[in-house]
Amino acid sequence: MNDFGERAQGMTANQDLNLDDWRRAVDTVSRGQVIELGREFHSGMPHYPTHPDFEISLFRRHGDRVRADGASSASCHWSFGGHTGTHIDALCHVSQCGVMFDDTPADNDLIESGKAAGDAADFSAYLRRGILFDIAALDGVESLSGDRLITPEDLEKASDAQGIDVRQGDVALIRTGWGRHWGSDAYIGHDTPGPGFEAALWLADKGVELVGSDTAVFEKGPVTEAAPVHRLLLLERQIRIMENLDLEALSAAKVYAFFFMALPLRVRGGTASPLRPIAVC
């Protein structure tokens, strides 16, 4: 069996979900409402400066070829980075001192060829209970200020105020309100709010499966000389990260526990995948 076949065979068990986790997620559904948690992908969309633009064009246009019966078709070409728009980070996204999450040397050629562990091909379907920490609502503001660092105390207060408890396997989302700046120059600012290392550690110790926020980077920005939250979650705890979420509708509906669903693209060699997450409540 080749390398790809062995990897695919090894991933089968990761698709299974404990039935108790399914029931816990489904039990949160009471309204029959679906809320989109992701951003539309479009040309000119905001993105972190270290990642490529999103560009879309018609590769084939109506009229380029017209069939005998008058029918024609168009097809599109996309070009963008895996970390542009709403996305999920793969474990191979970060390294520390040349070492990956599985204690192997960081090998760019191996990642690019799709033969390294922890790339986007390793993503599973995420069907779990989701919980929302609405920190902006907790502070009584539409959006946190760019210098706001989210602490474990903030998460605990939000849990109490919103009547949620964090359980093993949960998907934890943090709303800062910064998503209100989406589409403006302020969204990718020098300073952006986000969780600090201690808040990330608090979530990790609670056993969350996946985290995400309504900012371009899941930690207090800017990320310049260090990214301690990414290092802790991806590298040390193997907890994947979602960024550029839209949490405004979820907050407006005052939904703090829900059935979270997301299906990442499984891309060999990908350090991230675009994502369309939803909340069913």
Side-chain angles (χ1 to χ4, degrees):
M1 186 178 295
N2 61 30
D3 292 342
F4 289 153
E6 290 174 355
R7 258 189 55 170
Q9 187 180 57
M11 282 302 299
T12 304
N14 292 345
Q15 304 298 321
D16 295 335
L17 184 65
N18 185 290
L19 284 178
D20 289 337
D21 292 334
W22 276 93
R23 294 188 183 101
R24 187 156 49 88
V26 173
D27 284 347
T28 63
V29 179
S30 60
R31 307 183 188 185
Q33 181 181 3
V34 175
I35 298 177
E36 294 280 353
L37 304 178
R39 298 288 181 182
E40 290 183 352
F41 286 76
H42 61 85
S43 295
M45 67 190 296
H47 62 89
Y48 216 64
T50 52
H51 303 305
D53 295 329
F54 179 89
E55 297 178 351
I56 187 168
S57 60
L58 287 181
F59 176 76
R60 179 175 173 175
R61 298 173 176 271
H62 290 289
D64 286 350
R65 181 189 174 193
V66 181
R67 297 183 178 89
D69 63 355
S72 186
S73 64
S75 60
C76 59
H77 173 83
W78 296 354
S79 175
F80 63 107
H83 300 264
T84 302
T86 303
H87 67 274
I88 177 173
D89 289 343
L91 299 183
C92 69
H93 177 43
V94 298
S95 63
Q96 183 73 23
C97 299
V99 177
M100 302 296 290
F101 74 98
D102 57 356
D103 294 325
T104 61
D107 188 324
N108 295 313
D109 292 335
L110 205 61
I111 294 171
E112 195 169 46
S113 67
K115 297 178 181 178
D119 70 1
D122 285 352
F123 286 136
S124 63
Y126 291 95
L127 306 168
R128 293 187 172 272
R129 189 182 84 136
I131 54 175
L132 175 68
F133 294 91
D134 197 339
I135 307 301
L138 183 70
D139 282 11
V141 297
E142 291 188 347
S143 175
L144 301 181
S145 61
D147 61 357
R148 179 71 156 81
L149 177 73
I150 295 171
T151 66
E153 291 72 27
D154 293 320
L155 300 178
E156 289 171 355
K157 289 177 182 177
S159 296
D160 293 339
Q162 294 155 192
I164 56 174
D165 59 330
V166 190
R167 303 175 189 172
Q168 183 80 26
D170 281 347
V171 176
L173 309 183
I174 296 177
R175 177 180 173 262
T176 68
W178 200 256
R180 291 172 173 265
H181 298 300
W182 179 262
S184 73
D185 293 339
Y187 184 73
I188 308 293
H190 181 72
D191 291 305
T192 55
F197 178 86
E198 296 299 330
L201 183 61
W202 187 87
L203 289 171
D205 286 345
K206 293 286 187 179
V208 299
E209 173 81 7
L210 181 65
V211 299
S213 70
D214 56 354
T215 55
V217 57
F218 187 84
E219 56 187 293
K220 174 69 187 71
V223 175
T224 52
E225 297 303 316
V229 170
H230 278 62
R231 185 189 72 241
L232 171 71
L233 296 178
L234 294 173
L235 195 72
E236 298 177 14
R237 297 296 188 92
Q238 289 82 62
I239 298 170
R240 293 164 175 87
I241 294 170
M242 296 177 292
E243 293 164 328
N244 297 314
L245 296 175
D246 182 357
L247 302 178
E248 293 306 297
L250 200 61
S251 172
K254 299 186 184 302
V255 172
Y256 306 113
F258 46 90
F259 186 9
F260 176 89
M261 302 177 67
L263 303 175
L265 300 181
R266 299 179 63 200
V267 182
R268 295 199 184 278
T271 60
S273 169
L275 196 67
R276 185 181 181 181
I278 63 171
V280 183
C281 56

